Amino acid sequence: MILQVREAHTAYGLSRVLFGVSLEVDAGECVCLLGRNGVGKTTTLRTIMGLSPPQAGRIVWKGADITGWSPHRVARAGIGLVPEDRRIFADLTVWENLDVASRGARAGGFTIERVFDLFPALRDLTGRQGGFLSGGEQQMLTIARTLMGNPDLLLLDEPSEGLAPLVVDHLRDQIVRLKREGLTILLAEQNVEFSLALADRVYVLEKGSIRFTGPAAALRDNEAGYRDYRLAVFEPGLSPEQRRLLFDGAIAKLSIPLPRGDLQPM
């Protein structure tokens, strides 16, 4: 495993968010963190990246303990983060955003030309300022900018959020392409269909803890568990107790052995 998160406990001030999160990612995998808003997906990525260091636990990258490393040191070690809020330089052009990201980057195969091949729409927008791009164009630019650092592991935080369905489909296809080219990906997503189309394995988070881990196919192929999980995450108007009961019901159904592999309780 090239990445191991071991019993991470992370807090913002006095507010504890992660409670002993453990996960592993192997080279070439696409692993997805699933869960509704506020369960700790973004905090898990921030913990790995060094933006929110854990109060307890360890982050191990390629056998080295990187717990407490500064974000720029983590980036230079080969981990790149695509943040949920994109954080492009609004006053810089598309080309300037990519050029800035390439300075001091690790040696590797990603160039401006290669990211334009991945996202052809950006090629026609090189002179446009980032603040005048659409949401989908900004998301493409954010991913392209992170790739310019030549990461070995790409952390993607809610990449499909707020995007039109056609843009989401295009984005999914390009992430599949990156995966086929051997890039390791850890994806935090609420969009279940988007996630399961990409992931080899999934971790399900609830209230800052990993509740299940297993093959993506196991969740996708268990109709009853999948239905209850979607209801627990997306159904509007549910009380917290109703949502909890649905989620617990989904967990119980996903614990049943499945023909193509089990989801294992943590």
Side-chain angles (χ1 to χ4, degrees), residues 68-129:
W69 283 21
S70 61
H72 77 271
R73 190 179 176 193
V74 174
R76 289 186 176 179
I79 301 177
L81 171 66
V82 178
E84 180 181 8
D85 53 1
R86 298 168 187 157
R87 298 203 177 191
I88 61 168
F89 298 110
D91 293 333
L92 299 184
T93 66
V94 167
W95 190 91
E96 289 168 339
N97 268 274
L98 297 175
D99 181 59
V100 166
S102 70
R103 300 182 186 185
R106 303 169 70 242
F110 281 101
T111 62
I112 289 181
E113 191 58 35
R114 186 177 174 191
V115 298
F116 282 165
D117 180 55
L118 190 67
F119 299 112
L122 294 180
R123 190 190 303 274
D124 299 326
L125 300 169
T126 52
R128 184 172 300 180
Q129 288 181 319

Side-chain angles (χ1 to χ4, degrees), residues 8 29 57 61 65-66 92 104 136-137 182 202 213 219 241 244 264:
E29 275 193 309
W61 170 244
D65 189 341
I66 64 170
L92 299 184
E137 291 163 349
V202 298
T213 179
L219 176 58
E241 179 64 14
R244 183 189 67 79
Q264 300 295 330

Side-chain angles (χ1 to χ4, degrees), residues 174-201:
Q174 300 317 306
I175 296 173
V176 167
R177 180 177 170 184
L178 288 171
K179 178 184 170 185
R180 287 174 178 165
E181 292 175 359
L183 186 62
T184 306
I185 299 169
L186 178 58
L187 168 70
E189 256 293 347
Q190 189 176 189
N191 185 327
V192 185
E193 287 83 1
F194 181 86
S195 302
L196 295 183
L198 296 168
D200 299 301
R201 293 187 298 113

Side-chain angles (χ1 to χ4, degrees), residues 6-169:
R6 300 176 179 172
E7 292 292 323
H9 295 259
T10 304
Y12 299 109
L14 297 177
S15 178
R16 182 72 62 85
V17 179
L18 299 185
F19 298 86
V21 166
S22 296
L23 60 85
E24 296 180 333
V25 181
D26 205 357
E29 275 193 309
C30 179
V31 175
C32 183
L33 303 176
L34 282 173
R36 54 197 175 90
N37 284 337
V39 299
K41 302 189 302 298
T42 292
T43 301
T44 301
L45 299 189
R46 288 178 58 88
T47 298
I48 295 167
M49 198 67 208
L51 293 164
S52 299
Q55 294 179 324
R58 298 175 62 203
I59 312 298
V60 179
W61 170 244
K62 296 183 177 180
D65 189 341
I66 64 170
T67 312
W69 283 21
S70 61
H72 77 271
R73 190 179 176 193
V74 174
R76 289 186 176 179
I79 301 177
L81 171 66
V82 178
E84 180 181 8
D85 53 1
R86 298 168 187 157
R87 298 203 177 191
I88 61 168
F89 298 110
D91 293 333
L92 299 184
T93 66
V94 167
W95 190 91
E96 289 168 339
N97 268 274
L98 297 175
D99 181 59
V100 166
S102 70
R103 300 182 186 185
R106 303 169 70 242
F110 281 101
T111 62
I112 289 181
E113 191 58 35
R114 186 177 174 191
V115 298
F116 282 165
D117 180 55
L118 190 67
F119 299 112
L122 294 180
R123 190 190 303 274
D124 299 326
L125 300 169
T126 52
R128 184 172 300 180
Q129 288 181 319
F132 290 97
L133 300 177
S134 68
E137 291 163 349
Q138 287 186 358
Q139 188 62 273
M140 293 177 203
L141 178 58
T142 306
I143 296 173
R145 184 184 61 185
T146 304
L147 292 174
M148 290 297 294
N150 287 295
D152 295 324
L153 170 64
L154 187 66
L155 307 178
L156 284 167
D157 192 5
E158 301 280 3
S160 73
E161 185 176 26
L163 302 182
L166 285 176
V167 178
V168 171
D169 290 344

